[in-house]
Amino acid sequence: MRPTLRQLQYLVATADTGRFSDAAERLHVSQPSLSAQIAEAESHLGAIVFERGRHGARMTPLGAEIVRRARYVLRQMEDMQSIAKSGGLGLYGRVRMGVLPTIGPYLLPRATGALHREFPELRLSIREESTVELQDKLTDGQMDVLISTPEDHSPTDSAHLFRESLWVAVPSDDPLAAEAGPLDLDQLAGRPVLTLGMGHRLTSLVSELAHAAGAFVSTDYEGTSLDAIRHMAALGAGVAVLPQLYVTCEARRDDVLVYRRIDTPMAERNIALVWRQGSPLTDGLQQLADALRTAASTILDEV
């Protein structure tokens, strides 16, 4: 016999919570029932998925792979139900979206109204993650679609949303603030540059810019958010490098810093809507991309 879909849900819930009791509470079943169903699933599989102990339920190495595949099977079933309800057109029901933290808070609030009007039956579940985490969760089925840098997600399908430039932010008494207009890359030579920690595509891009300019990425100050980078720049810790969308939506409200665009094709990044190849949501996601593209264009035109 094979594990049932319900048993696969039990496996995934236990992996997510790390405890049988918490998984049972999440799925509104008794703990003895859940434990018995997991034991039966393990018997069908001929493998131990969870190591039991006082610490809770810890996945075995083989169990981690089984849970990853269980997520994929459950996601395919959800896709089947979603496409059946929608009649093959548009987006319907819950869609799990992953988004870069340097994009989501600034793009999505401006797009919410349009998305609700165009997709009244869509329920977006949104989670911010680093580039690496987004890729992992798209691959194993925890996410359906991403707003991210397309070159970091392969093999996938994607729809271009916008291209944005990178800007520097410095205090008004900094030499770089003496002039207005775009900033030549070589003007950053010898300067400490502030960016996010590792795992973010923006960090890699800023590192490449710093190397080309003869600058260096500060290892003493690593921001956990774009706001943190901006505040560190205001305190004189270095030159903040920030994406255009953020500068337009948030940073320009702050009159403590001066903002200048970096004038080089290197200081740009592409943002796209990204999803798994062959997804049954493809037609609807193309429509979603159109709506997001319009919202992004409206924001970026404000610069």
Side-chain angles (χ1 to χ4, degrees):
M1 294 182 65
R2 301 183 181 91
T4 65
L5 289 175
R6 190 60 173 164
Q7 287 170 344
L8 295 184
Q9 290 176 327
Y10 290 167
L11 293 177
V12 169
T14 303
D16 287 344
T17 62
R19 293 187 176 276
F20 293 118
S21 57
D22 293 343
E25 183 177 352
R26 173 190 286 191
L27 296 174
H28 308 292
V29 298
S30 68
Q31 180 177 338
S33 175
L34 179 136
S35 297
Q37 288 296 312
I38 288 179
E40 184 174 322
E42 290 177 323
S43 176
H44 292 327
L45 291 166
I48 300 299
V49 178
F50 296 106
E51 175 188 338
R52 281 83 163 165
R54 296 180 63 184
H55 58 266
R58 181 178 298 159
M59 283 187 290
T60 64
L62 181 57
E65 178 62 19
I66 289 172
V67 168
R68 186 186 73 80
R69 291 171 184 262
R71 291 187 197 278
Y72 179 78
V73 170
L74 293 172
R75 182 59 231 162
Q76 292 299 305
M77 180 55 67
E78 288 185 18
D79 284 348
M80 185 188 302
Q81 293 171 331
S82 189
I83 200 71
K85 289 178 180 179
S86 68
L89 298 173
L91 292 176
Y92 185 100
R94 185 169 71 104
V95 173
R96 296 172 293 187
M97 173 182 284
V99 60
L100 292 174
T102 57
I103 295 293
Y106 318 109
L107 172 62
L108 294 178
R110 300 284 285 270
T112 300
L115 293 179
H116 183 68
R117 287 191 300 271
E118 189 161 349
F119 309 102
E121 300 299 325
L122 173 64
R123 299 294 178 265
L124 276 179
S125 174
I126 299 169
R127 181 165 182 151
E128 295 179 14
E129 297 281 4
S130 70
T131 309
V132 173
E133 288 293 324
L134 290 179
Q135 175 61 30
D136 290 344
K137 291 182 178 180
L138 182 68
T139 299
D140 70 15
Q142 293 186 64
M143 292 179 177
D144 306 306
V145 62
L146 311 177
I147 299 178
S148 187
T149 43
E151 63 269 26
D152 294 305
H153 307 287
S154 181
T156 53
D157 289 331
S158 65
H160 176 75
L161 297 180
F162 60 93
R163 186 173 180 85
E164 67 174 345
S165 55
L166 299 183
W167 292 53
V168 299
V170 293
S172 58
D173 60 353
D174 190 284
L176 295 179
E179 302 177 22
L183 177 83
D184 290 335
L185 186 60
D186 59 10
Q187 290 181 261
L188 294 175
R191 299 293 301 270
V193 174
L194 304 173
T195 188
L196 299 173
M198 299 304 294
H200 297 273
R201 175 64 179 176
L202 180 63
T203 301
S204 299
L205 182 54
V206 172
S207 296
E208 293 169 6
L209 282 172
H211 178 74
F216 61 95
V217 175
S218 173
T219 56
D220 295 326
Y221 301 95
E222 283 188 351
T224 55
S225 68
L226 296 180
D227 283 340
I229 295 171
R230 176 164 57 95
H231 295 322
M232 287 190 290
L235 293 172
V239 178
V241 178
L242 304 167
Q244 180 181 356
L245 198 69
Y246 173 79
V247 170
T248 306
C249 292
E250 297 292 333
R252 285 199 160 187
R253 300 175 186 174
D254 180 0
D255 58 6
V256 174
L257 297 171
V258 173
Y259 301 90
R260 297 178 65 187
R261 179 175 64 84
I262 305 175
D263 189 17
T264 173
M266 290 182 63
E268 295 179 345
R269 64 174 183 169
N270 286 315
I271 303 298
L273 197 66
V274 181
W275 60 91
R276 289 184 295 277
Q277 291 180 332
S279 170
L281 303 177
T282 294
D283 290 344
L285 293 175
Q286 292 283 4
Q287 298 173 37
L288 180 62
D290 290 339
L292 291 171
R293 192 179 300 116
T294 299
S297 177
T298 301
I299 299 170
L300 295 175
D301 285 346
E302 296 174 5
V303 176

PDB file of all heavy atoms in Angstrom, residues 173-191:
ATOM      1  N   ASP A 173      26.727  66.313   4.690  1.00  0.00           N
ATOM      2  CA  ASP A 173      28.079  66.861   4.798  1.00  0.00           C
ATOM      3  C   ASP A 173      29.132  65.957   4.149  1.00  0.00           C
ATOM      4  O   ASP A 173      30.325  66.238   4.213  1.00  0.00           O
ATOM      5  CB  ASP A 173      28.448  67.107   6.261  1.00  0.00           C
ATOM      6  CG  ASP A 173      28.407  65.846   7.119  1.00  0.00           C
ATOM      7  OD1 ASP A 173      27.965  64.788   6.605  1.00  0.00           O
ATOM      8  OD2 ASP A 173      28.807  65.916   8.298  1.00  0.00           O
ATOM      9  N   ASP A 174      28.696  64.872   3.502  1.00  0.00           N
ATOM     10  CA  ASP A 174      29.619  63.982   2.800  1.00  0.00           C
ATOM     11  C   ASP A 174      30.029  64.615   1.470  1.00  0.00           C
ATOM     12  O   ASP A 174      29.211  65.271   0.811  1.00  0.00           O
ATOM     13  CB  ASP A 174      28.934  62.634   2.540  1.00  0.00           C
ATOM     14  CG  ASP A 174      29.896  61.579   2.023  1.00  0.00           C
ATOM     15  OD1 ASP A 174      30.249  61.651   0.819  1.00  0.00           O
ATOM     16  OD2 ASP A 174      30.278  60.683   2.792  1.00  0.00           O
ATOM     17  N   PRO A 175      31.295  64.454   1.041  1.00  0.00           N
ATOM     18  CA  PRO A 175      31.725  65.017  -0.247  1.00  0.00           C
ATOM     19  C   PRO A 175      30.848  64.579  -1.426  1.00  0.00           C
ATOM     20  O   PRO A 175      30.679  65.342  -2.387  1.00  0.00           O
ATOM     21  CB  PRO A 175      33.159  64.495  -0.394  1.00  0.00           C
ATOM     22  CG  PRO A 175      33.623  64.284   1.011  1.00  0.00           C
ATOM     23  CD  PRO A 175      32.427  63.848   1.780  1.00  0.00           C
ATOM     24  N   LEU A 176      30.287  63.377  -1.369  1.00  0.00           N
ATOM     25  CA  LEU A 176      29.438  62.905  -2.468  1.00  0.00           C
ATOM     26  C   LEU A 176      28.118  63.662  -2.545  1.00  0.00           C
ATOM     27  O   LEU A 176      27.425  63.603  -3.560  1.00  0.00           O
ATOM     28  CB  LEU A 176      29.153  61.402  -2.314  1.00  0.00           C
ATOM     29  CG  LEU A 176      30.348  60.461  -2.429  1.00  0.00           C
ATOM     30  CD1 LEU A 176      29.911  59.019  -2.223  1.00  0.00           C
ATOM     31  CD2 LEU A 176      31.023  60.613  -3.800  1.00  0.00           C
ATOM     32  N   ALA A 177      27.773  64.369  -1.472  1.00  0.00           N
ATOM     33  CA  ALA A 177      26.530  65.133  -1.450  1.00  0.00           C
ATOM     34  C   ALA A 177      26.704  66.538  -2.012  1.00  0.00           C
ATOM     35  O   ALA A 177      25.727  67.279  -2.153  1.00  0.00           O
ATOM     36  CB  ALA A 177      25.991  65.213  -0.027  1.00  0.00           C
ATOM     37  N   ALA A 178      27.939  66.903  -2.355  1.00  0.00           N
ATOM     38  CA  ALA A 178      28.209  68.264  -2.818  1.00  0.00           C
ATOM     39  C   ALA A 178      27.620  68.541  -4.195  1.00  0.00           C
ATOM     40  O   ALA A 178      27.352  69.690  -4.553  1.00  0.00           O
ATOM     41  CB  ALA A 178      29.712  68.531  -2.826  1.00  0.00           C
ATOM     42  N   GLU A 179      27.432  67.475  -4.988  1.00  0.00           N
ATOM     43  CA  GLU A 179      26.881  67.625  -6.327  1.00  0.00           C
ATOM     44  C   GLU A 179      25.536  66.930  -6.422  1.00  0.00           C
ATOM     45  O   GLU A 179      25.214  66.049  -5.629  1.00  0.00           O
ATOM     46  CB  GLU A 179      27.832  67.027  -7.370  1.00  0.00           C
ATOM     47  CG  GLU A 179      29.218  67.627  -7.372  1.00  0.00           C
ATOM     48  CD  GLU A 179      30.120  66.937  -8.372  1.00  0.00           C
ATOM     49  OE1 GLU A 179      29.582  66.322  -9.323  1.00  0.00           O
ATOM     50  OE2 GLU A 179      31.346  66.980  -8.193  1.00  0.00           O
ATOM     51  N   ALA A 180      24.744  67.344  -7.401  1.00  0.00           N
ATOM     52  CA  ALA A 180      23.469  66.688  -7.676  1.00  0.00           C
ATOM     53  C   ALA A 180      23.616  65.834  -8.934  1.00  0.00           C
ATOM     54  O   ALA A 180      24.622  65.896  -9.629  1.00  0.00           O
ATOM     55  CB  ALA A 180      22.371  67.731  -7.861  1.00  0.00           C
ATOM     56  N   GLY A 181      22.622  65.024  -9.199  1.00  0.00           N
ATOM     57  CA  GLY A 181      22.643  64.231 -10.417  1.00  0.00           C
ATOM     58  C   GLY A 181      23.340  62.902 -10.233  1.00  0.00           C
ATOM     59  O   GLY A 181      23.801  62.556  -9.132  1.00  0.00           O
ATOM     60  N   PRO A 182      23.450  62.120 -11.301  1.00  0.00           N
ATOM     61  CA  PRO A 182      24.050  60.782 -11.232  1.00  0.00           C
ATOM     62  C   PRO A 182      25.488  60.813 -10.736  1.00  0.00           C
ATOM     63  O   PRO A 182      26.222  61.784 -10.926  1.00  0.00           O
ATOM     64  CB  PRO A 182      23.969  60.285 -12.685  1.00  0.00           C
ATOM     65  CG  PRO A 182      22.852  61.065 -13.286  1.00  0.00           C
ATOM     66  CD  PRO A 182      22.919  62.420 -12.646  1.00  0.00           C
ATOM     67  N   LEU A 183      25.872  59.699 -10.123  1.00  0.00           N
ATOM     68  CA  LEU A 183      27.195  59.553  -9.524  1.00  0.00           C
ATOM     69  C   LEU A 183      28.041  58.612 -10.378  1.00  0.00           C
ATOM     70  O   LEU A 183      27.603  57.516 -10.725  1.00  0.00           O
ATOM     71  CB  LEU A 183      27.039  58.976  -8.119  1.00  0.00           C
ATOM     72  CG  LEU A 183      28.293  58.672  -7.313  1.00  0.00           C
ATOM     73  CD1 LEU A 183      28.793  59.939  -6.639  1.00  0.00           C
ATOM     74  CD2 LEU A 183      27.990  57.603  -6.260  1.00  0.00           C
ATOM     75  N   ASP A 184      29.249  59.039 -10.750  1.00  0.00           N
ATOM     76  CA  ASP A 184      30.153  58.143 -11.465  1.00  0.00           C
ATOM     77  C   ASP A 184      30.657  57.068 -10.507  1.00  0.00           C
ATOM     78  O   ASP A 184      30.941  57.345  -9.335  1.00  0.00           O
ATOM     79  CB  ASP A 184      31.348  58.919 -12.033  1.00  0.00           C
ATOM     80  CG  ASP A 184      30.942  59.835 -13.182  1.00  0.00           C
ATOM     81  OD1 ASP A 184      29.913  59.541 -13.829  1.00  0.00           O
ATOM     82  OD2 ASP A 184      31.639  60.840 -13.402  1.00  0.00           O
ATOM     83  N   LEU A 185      30.824  55.862 -11.037  1.00  0.00           N
ATOM     84  CA  LEU A 185      31.212  54.739 -10.197  1.00  0.00           C
ATOM     85  C   LEU A 185      32.547  54.988  -9.509  1.00  0.00           C
ATOM     86  O   LEU A 185      32.733  54.638  -8.341  1.00  0.00           O
ATOM     87  CB  LEU A 185      31.274  53.461 -11.047  1.00  0.00           C
ATOM     88  CG  LEU A 185      31.535  52.152 -10.301  1.00  0.00           C
ATOM     89  CD1 LEU A 185      30.444  51.889  -9.269  1.00  0.00           C
ATOM     90  CD2 LEU A 185      31.620  50.994 -11.291  1.00  0.00           C
ATOM     91  N   ASP A 186      33.493  55.602 -10.206  1.00  0.00           N
ATOM     92  CA  ASP A 186      34.826  55.792  -9.613  1.00  0.00           C
ATOM     93  C   ASP A 186      34.821  56.775  -8.445  1.00  0.00           C
ATOM     94  O   ASP A 186      35.810  56.885  -7.716  1.00  0.00           O
ATOM     95  CB  ASP A 186      35.843  56.202 -10.677  1.00  0.00           C
ATOM     96  CG  ASP A 186      35.474  57.486 -11.394  1.00  0.00           C
ATOM     97  OD1 ASP A 186      34.533  58.192 -10.958  1.00  0.00           O
ATOM     98  OD2 ASP A 186      36.123  57.797 -12.420  1.00  0.00           O
ATOM     99  N   GLN A 187      33.726  57.507  -8.244  1.00  0.00           N
ATOM    100  CA  GLN A 187      33.643  58.403  -7.098  1.00  0.00           C
ATOM    101  C   GLN A 187      33.496  57.638  -5.778  1.00  0.00           C
ATOM    102  O   GLN A 187      33.625  58.228  -4.705  1.00  0.00           O
ATOM    103  CB  GLN A 187      32.464  59.372  -7.265  1.00  0.00           C
ATOM    104  CG  GLN A 187      32.677  60.413  -8.362  1.00  0.00           C
ATOM    105  CD  GLN A 187      31.492  61.358  -8.480  1.00  0.00           C
ATOM    106  OE1 GLN A 187      30.631  61.203  -9.338  1.00  0.00           O
ATOM    107  NE2 GLN A 187      31.447  62.348  -7.605  1.00  0.00           N
ATOM    108  N   LEU A 188      33.239  56.347  -5.867  1.00  0.00           N
ATOM    109  CA  LEU A 188      33.151  55.517  -4.666  1.00  0.00           C
ATOM    110  C   LEU A 188      34.496  54.927  -4.257  1.00  0.00           C
ATOM    111  O   LEU A 188      34.589  54.233  -3.244  1.00  0.00           O
ATOM    112  CB  LEU A 188      32.159  54.368  -4.894  1.00  0.00           C
ATOM    113  CG  LEU A 188      30.693  54.740  -5.092  1.00  0.00           C
ATOM    114  CD1 LEU A 188      29.875  53.502  -5.427  1.00  0.00           C
ATOM    115  CD2 LEU A 188      30.137  55.424  -3.845  1.00  0.00           C
ATOM    116  N   ALA A 189      35.535  55.196  -5.025  1.00  0.00           N
ATOM    117  CA  ALA A 189      36.854  54.607  -4.763  1.00  0.00           C
ATOM    118  C   ALA A 189      37.305  54.870  -3.331  1.00  0.00           C
ATOM    119  O   ALA A 189      37.257  56.004  -2.836  1.00  0.00           O
ATOM    120  CB  ALA A 189      37.874  55.167  -5.749  1.00  0.00           C
ATOM    121  N   GLY A 190      37.755  53.802  -2.674  1.00  0.00           N
ATOM    122  CA  GLY A 190      38.282  53.918  -1.320  1.00  0.00           C
ATOM    123  C   GLY A 190      37.247  54.037  -0.226  1.00  0.00           C
ATOM    124  O   GLY A 190      37.602  54.099   0.958  1.00  0.00           O
ATOM    125  N   ARG A 191      35.957  54.053  -0.583  1.00  0.00           N
ATOM    126  CA  ARG A 191      34.912  54.271   0.412  1.00  0.00           C
ATOM    127  C   ARG A 191      34.339  52.946   0.921  1.00  0.00           C
ATOM    128  O   ARG A 191      34.213  51.975   0.176  1.00  0.00           O
ATOM    129  CB  ARG A 191      33.766  55.098  -0.202  1.00  0.00           C
ATOM    130  CG  ARG A 191      34.167  56.487  -0.690  1.00  0.00           C
ATOM    131  CD  ARG A 191      34.566  57.393   0.465  1.00  0.00           C
ATOM    132  NE  ARG A 191      33.505  57.570   1.423  1.00  0.00           N
ATOM    133  CZ  ARG A 191      32.575  58.538   1.364  1.00  0.00           C
ATOM    134  NH1 ARG A 191      32.605  59.421   0.365  1.00  0.00           N
ATOM    135  NH2 ARG A 191      31.639  58.642   2.286  1.00  0.00           N
TER     136      ARG A 191
END
